[in-house]
Amino acid sequence: MAHTDHQTMRRVLRREIVGTIGLLTDEHDFRAMRRYRTFTFDDHETYLHQVEDLLRTRASQGSHTTVALFDPEEYAEFCADAGLDPDIPSSRTRFTAELATTGPAIPYEGQPLADLVPALVDEAVRQATWEYASTLLARLGSCASCGEDIGRAAFVRASHLLVRILETAQPGDRHLVCSVTGTPETLVAVLHAHEDADGATQLDEAEALEFTTVLALALGTQSPGGLVMRTSAPGNPDRIYGWRLRGERIEPLTAGEVFDAYCTDVESGDLISPESDVDYCTPPDLGDEGQTPGHRH
């Protein structure tokens, strides 16, 4: 009887343990790990099937699992810095545990791996974009004339602009894209917002931070770029409008400019049929927030 009780308690405790799996999402990374003798998988597709089976099994047992993006180059650097042998499973385990808190990771919630992998890659891109934009923003330093921290002022300005843009959008789901082309690399940030039953705007905090940082970088460096908003509400056509980034200001696009942007093939220049039940329109008036520069003497 006591032995049975101990087994039951261990099963209960296993359900309390949170696990993390480091996933090699593409063939290139998988091949890079095969140079280690203790990494015994031979085929990437078989490896993915085995991972998916393991995730399903843990979920059926009531265990929570986080899936993290495993990067072989970062793993090798981690082992070198920590003085670990990269060709032993315990080193991979320690690196994976580190990924759970610092790297791109998403919870497994029963979704097929075919859906989980793109979501994990998107999360990695989002995190890398935020880190890159944050680094560039921090390097802007202080204004030579007034001593104000340019990056900080731009972030405050971007935060106020984002709030105003969301305030003036119609109720419903909102999909906002910011693109910046004047930095060393083109950056794109996406923000999704929706209203709850009480009419309050709900945002993903990580998305909002990334979006604000990328917008702040555009403002702080006065780089060319643009903002595009798409709003969706039941019973109404979707509305698409946008602004161009010009210095520290944003300028509204005309309905014709928005239509041309959405209904022209980027590569060929040919016209594309417009979407049905969609209004290409001018944006709402942002008032003084859309016109007043953030950094001024």
Side-chain angles (χ1 to χ4, degrees):
M1 181 69 175
H3 178 66
T4 302
D5 288 342
H6 287 159
Q7 285 184 326
T8 301
M9 284 188 289
R10 280 196 295 269
R11 282 197 297 269
V12 171
L13 285 172
R14 276 198 294 270
R15 290 197 295 268
E16 301 293 325
I17 297 174
V18 177
T20 303
I21 293 176
L23 183 64
L24 298 159
T25 58
D26 62 50
E27 184 75 34
H28 178 269
D29 288 346
F30 180 82
R31 287 198 304 270
M33 289 302 294
R34 290 197 62 201
R35 69 177 180 266
Y36 300 120
R37 177 185 54 82
T38 56
F39 185 79
T40 57
F41 288 96
D42 296 322
D43 177 74
H44 187 230
E45 187 173 346
T46 301
Y47 160 82
L48 292 177
H49 285 315
Q50 292 294 325
V51 170
E52 188 162 29
D53 287 345
L54 177 60
L55 290 171
R56 288 173 177 169
T57 299
R58 285 181 54 83
S60 69
Q61 295 171 346
S63 298
H64 173 83
T65 308
T66 297
V67 182
L69 186 68
F70 196 104
D71 186 300
E73 292 185 7
E74 291 182 2
Y75 171 64
E77 293 174 2
F78 172 82
C79 290
D81 292 341
L84 300 174
D85 180 357
D87 202 3
I88 57 176
S90 61
S91 296
R92 292 194 289 273
T93 301
R94 287 182 59 176
F95 177 65
T96 300
E98 184 87 2
L99 289 177
T101 57
T102 63
I106 58 176
Y108 176 70
E109 299 174 332
Q111 66 270 51
L113 210 60
D115 295 334
L116 187 149
V117 168
L120 183 57
V121 172
D122 286 346
E123 174 65 15
V125 172
R126 184 201 62 75
Q127 183 170 318
T129 299
W130 172 73
E131 291 175 351
Y132 181 67
S134 297
T135 299
L136 295 181
L137 202 59
R139 290 176 179 172
L140 296 180
S142 301
C143 175
S145 298
C146 68
E148 184 176 19
D149 187 301
I150 298 174
R152 185 176 303 160
F155 191 88
V156 171
R157 165 77 168 141
S159 300
H160 290 325
L161 272 175
L162 177 57
V163 169
R164 186 58 182 154
I165 288 170
L166 293 174
E167 284 177 344
T168 57
Q170 71 176 25
D173 292 333
R174 282 151 284 175
H175 180 87
L176 187 58
V177 179
C178 176
S179 59
V180 184
T181 58
T183 53
E185 293 185 24
T186 298
L187 299 180
V188 178
V190 179
L191 180 65
H192 302 87
H194 69 276
E195 289 190 347
D196 60 20
D198 298 324
T201 298
Q202 300 297 317
L203 301 171
D204 179 272
E205 291 185 4
E207 271 193 0
L209 177 59
E210 179 210 347
F211 189 94
T212 306
T213 304
V214 171
L215 178 56
L217 181 63
L219 299 174
T221 58
Q222 300 190 15
S223 299
L227 291 165
V228 175
M229 170 72 88
R230 181 173 188 141
T231 63
S232 303
N236 295 306
D238 285 7
R239 302 181 76 240
I240 299 177
Y241 52 84
W243 300 263
R244 67 171 54 87
L245 297 172
R246 185 69 59 86
E248 290 186 273
R249 304 174 186 272
I250 62 173
E251 299 177 351
L253 298 174
T254 66
E257 288 173 324
V258 176
F259 180 89
D260 289 343
Y262 268 81
C263 301
T264 304
D265 185 276
V266 176
E267 295 183 358
S268 67
D270 296 335
L271 292 177
I272 303 173
S273 298
E275 295 182 62
S276 60
D277 205 28
V278 170
D279 285 343
Y280 303 93
C281 51
T282 56
D285 182 11
L286 300 180
D288 291 339
E289 195 59 61
Q291 300 300 324
T292 305
H295 177 69
R296 55 190 184 275
H297 302 128

